[in-house]
Amino acid sequence: MEFVEIPEVVILRLPVYVRALTQLTDECISVVSSQQLGAHLQISPAQIRKDLSYFGRFGKQGRGYNVGFLLRELRDILCLDRQWTACLIGVGRLGRAIINYPGFTPESFKIVSAHDHDTSQIGQMIGDLVIQPMSELAESILSKDINIGIVAVPAIHAQEVVDCLVENKVSGILNYAPIVPKVSDNIVLRNIDPVLSLQSMTFYLGKRDGREHIRRA
Amino acid sequence: MEFVEIPEVVILRLPVYVRALTQLTDECISVVSSQQLGAHLQISPAQIRKDLSYFGRFGKQGRGYNVGFLLRELRDILCLDRQWTACLIGVGRLGRAIINYPGFTPESFKIVSAHDHDTSQIGQMIGDLVIQPMSELAESILSKDINIGIVAVPAIHAQEVVDCLVENKVSGILNYAPIVPKVSDNIVLRNIDPVLSLQSMTFYLGKRDGREHIRRA
DNA sequence: AGCTGTGAAACAATTCACAGCA
DNA sequence: TGCTGTGAATTGTTTCACAGCT
């Protein structure tokens, strides 16, 4: 009897399961096997069963998993049953797209405060938020009990904004700036970087004959 | 003497190295050790050396790596010295933000065609592109020699758009829709999904006392 | 019969540690 | 001395295969 850390790769897959199960719920499918779920997500059934087994025994032998029950359990594990609050830093084009993105709110995340360094934008509305100066960030985080900072400023300012968020005690940061910011290890950091995705893609696109992906050892 | 496939994780790290080396170039630093580079990126020096060793011997013992040389080599490996062309499908708020994002063009990617299903938008300009109907997608891909499709349509339409791109022979797809699309395995797919990032983040945020991350085995 | 849950086996990635070169 | 490049060791992840439940 010993303690086992849950691998981060497993945690990264749970939201994918949540999404698939939500879709199955919408389709009024109430039971699913690891086989079926795996076929849907292109993940092996064994991996799904192993992933879930880190958290408990959610299935029934011979039947599979009850979709609604498993969905509730996973949402609970991921703490998706509460509303998480976020502040957005940077209201340029990217920031405006983020704030208007309709996908966050139904998924437990709400942007409740928007800030920018640029004083000429202060006071403007975007969506139902007033753009506030950086000097009010600390106050916003405190008074609105903000958990997550979303960084949408140019690369040059990203590290200082991240530092500022950390000082003001957000717990997680979603960073859209094209840098890998340094954060203390009690902060959960996620980076969104389409350019990195494209630049790794082209390795495979450029070498279509299938021989350059191997090397002589 | 045998052949070794290069692991995908290695390929995913190369663009990160490219970015760091580009920054060092801007700072007029001409030599860097795996130690220094690793400290900058929070990656172990051994991993950097191992990654690079899949492709050749770029360093000098006792000195380190020549920044300019290594950068050129990596850009060459990733095929970043050509201009890649992309078409954008979906010109809603997200699509507009993507098309106006200034980070793609300097990094070898150019959006040269924008399409939407919504006929009321056809003919409008965004940036320097005219919004075209889906019916002209095939023609655009062919005439503009488009390599990459960028999907920014609602989840419900994403799979059909992806299928359409695949039929018209793009080689890579950058998908912003919140689904895991099915593609044939000769297509390189990258997904951008901030909601999944946030939903895995909250696992760690919700369980701050540090004991729930372990289970009894 | 059909499917889960899970140790054990297989495979993959990372780190170690050191020979060898500048 | 300082650093690379790389086999070997270690650590992490996925798959296998089957006991056991429904």
Side-chain angles (χ1 to χ4, degrees):
Chain A
M1 201 174 277
E2 48 178 333
F3 291 99
V4 179
E5 275 269 5
I6 295 165
E8 170 150 41
V9 276
V10 173
I11 303 303
L12 294 174
R13 278 190 294 265
L14 298 186
V16 178
Y17 301 156
V18 166
R19 185 170 281 164
L21 293 166
T22 304
Q23 199 189 323
L24 290 172
T25 302
D26 293 345
E27 294 166 7
C28 299
I29 292 165
S30 63
V31 175
V32 71
S33 66
S34 59
Q35 180 72 235
Q36 297 167 313
L37 193 56
H40 193 269
L41 295 171
Q42 336 225 230
I43 293 179
S44 81
Q47 179 153 90
I48 291 173
R49 294 200 302 277
K50 178 68 106 180
D51 285 353
L52 297 179
S53 78
Y54 281 101
F55 302 97
R57 297 150 172 238
F58 305 117
K60 285 212 173 31
Q61 285 129 322
R63 293 187 124 291
Y65 300 88
N66 178 297
V67 173
F69 172 68
L70 182 55
L71 180 54
R72 279 190 300 277
E73 289 290 324
L74 291 180
R75 292 184 59 92
D76 184 54
I77 290 162
L78 291 171
C79 304
L80 297 177
D81 282 317
R82 49 172 291 198
Q83 178 84 268
W84 293 90
T85 54
C87 58
L88 174 74
I89 319 296
V91 293
R93 265 197 279 253
L94 177 58
R96 282 160 196 271
I98 291 167
I99 220 164
N100 287 309
Y101 181 60
F104 289 125
T105 309
E107 297 296 345
S108 317
F109 301 94
K110 186 157 194 214
I111 298 173
V112 297
S113 162
H115 297 260
D116 204 294
H117 191 71
D118 177 4
T119 48
S120 73
Q121 309 228 37
I122 309 296
Q124 265 187 49
M125 300 286 294
I126 35 176
D128 55 356
L129 296 177
V130 181
I131 300 174
Q132 296 178 272
M134 290 301 288
S135 56
E136 285 174 27
L137 180 60
E139 162 64 15
S140 289
I141 291 175
L142 214 60
S143 68
K144 294 178 176 160
D145 193 23
I146 288 172
N147 316 109
I148 297 166
I150 302 179
V151 178
V153 301
I156 331 104
H157 299 116
Q159 182 65 55
E160 69 189 65
V161 166
V162 165
D163 292 343
C164 183
L165 287 164
V166 171
E167 269 165 41
N168 287 295
K169 303 262 184 294
V170 299
S171 313
I173 292 178
L174 185 66
N175 171 49
Y176 283 82
I179 63 158
V180 183
K182 285 182 182 93
V183 294
S184 47
D185 62 6
N186 59 330
I187 304 287
V188 186
L189 175 69
R190 296 286 184 264
N191 294 296
I192 303 288
D193 196 329
V195 169
L196 291 187
S197 296
L198 286 172
Q199 289 186 333
S200 65
M201 179 189 284
T202 49
F203 173 78
Y204 299 100
L205 300 191
K207 314 266 165 41
R208 277 279 145 163
D209 70 357
R211 300 192 63 259
E212 287 85 348
H213 294 171
I214 51 188
R215 67 159 181 143
R216 206 169 289 271
Chain B
M1 203 175 277
E2 47 179 333
F3 290 98
V4 179
E5 277 268 5
I6 295 165
E8 170 151 43
V9 275
V10 173
I11 303 303
L12 294 174
R13 278 190 296 265
L14 297 187
V16 179
Y17 300 156
V18 166
R19 185 168 283 164
L21 292 166
T22 303
Q23 199 189 322
L24 291 172
T25 302
D26 293 345
E27 294 166 7
C28 299
I29 291 164
S30 64
V31 175
V32 71
S33 66
S34 59
Q35 179 71 233
Q36 297 167 313
L37 194 55
H40 193 269
L41 295 171
Q42 335 224 226
I43 294 179
S44 79
Q47 180 154 90
I48 292 173
R49 295 201 303 275
K50 179 69 107 179
D51 285 354
L52 297 178
S53 77
Y54 281 102
F55 302 97
R57 300 151 169 236
F58 304 117
K60 284 213 175 28
Q61 286 131 321
R63 291 186 124 291
Y65 300 88
N66 178 298
V67 173
F69 173 68
L70 182 56
L71 180 54
R72 280 191 299 278
E73 289 290 323
L74 290 179
R75 293 184 58 92
D76 185 55
I77 290 163
L78 291 171
C79 303
L80 297 177
D81 282 317
R82 47 172 293 199
Q83 178 84 270
W84 294 90
T85 54
C87 58
L88 174 74
I89 318 297
V91 293
R93 265 196 280 252
L94 177 59
R96 283 161 196 270
I98 292 167
I99 219 163
N100 288 309
Y101 181 59
F104 289 126
T105 310
E107 297 296 345
S108 316
F109 301 94
K110 188 160 193 210
I111 298 172
V112 297
S113 162
H115 298 259
D116 204 296
H117 191 71
D118 176 3
T119 49
S120 73
Q121 309 229 35
I122 310 294
Q124 265 185 48
M125 300 286 292
I126 34 176
D128 55 354
L129 296 177
V130 181
I131 300 174
Q132 295 179 273
M134 290 302 287
S135 57
E136 284 173 28
L137 180 61
E139 163 63 14
S140 288
I141 291 174
L142 215 60
S143 69
K144 294 177 176 160
D145 193 23
I146 287 172
N147 316 110
I148 296 166
I150 301 178
V151 178
V153 301
I156 332 104
H157 299 116
Q159 183 64 55
E160 69 189 64
V161 165
V162 165
D163 292 344
C164 183
L165 286 165
V166 171
E167 269 166 40
N168 287 295
K169 303 265 184 293
V170 299
S171 312
I173 292 179
L174 185 67
N175 172 49
Y176 283 82
I179 63 159
V180 183
K182 284 182 181 95
V183 294
S184 46
D185 61 8
N186 59 329
I187 304 288
V188 185
L189 175 69
R190 295 287 183 267
N191 294 297
I192 303 288
D193 196 328
V195 170
L196 292 187
S197 297
L198 286 172
Q199 290 186 332
S200 66
M201 177 189 285
T202 49
F203 173 76
Y204 299 101
L205 300 192
K207 315 263 167 37
R208 278 280 148 160
D209 71 355
R211 299 192 62 259
E212 287 85 348
H213 294 170
I214 50 184
R215 67 161 179 138
R216 210 168 285 270

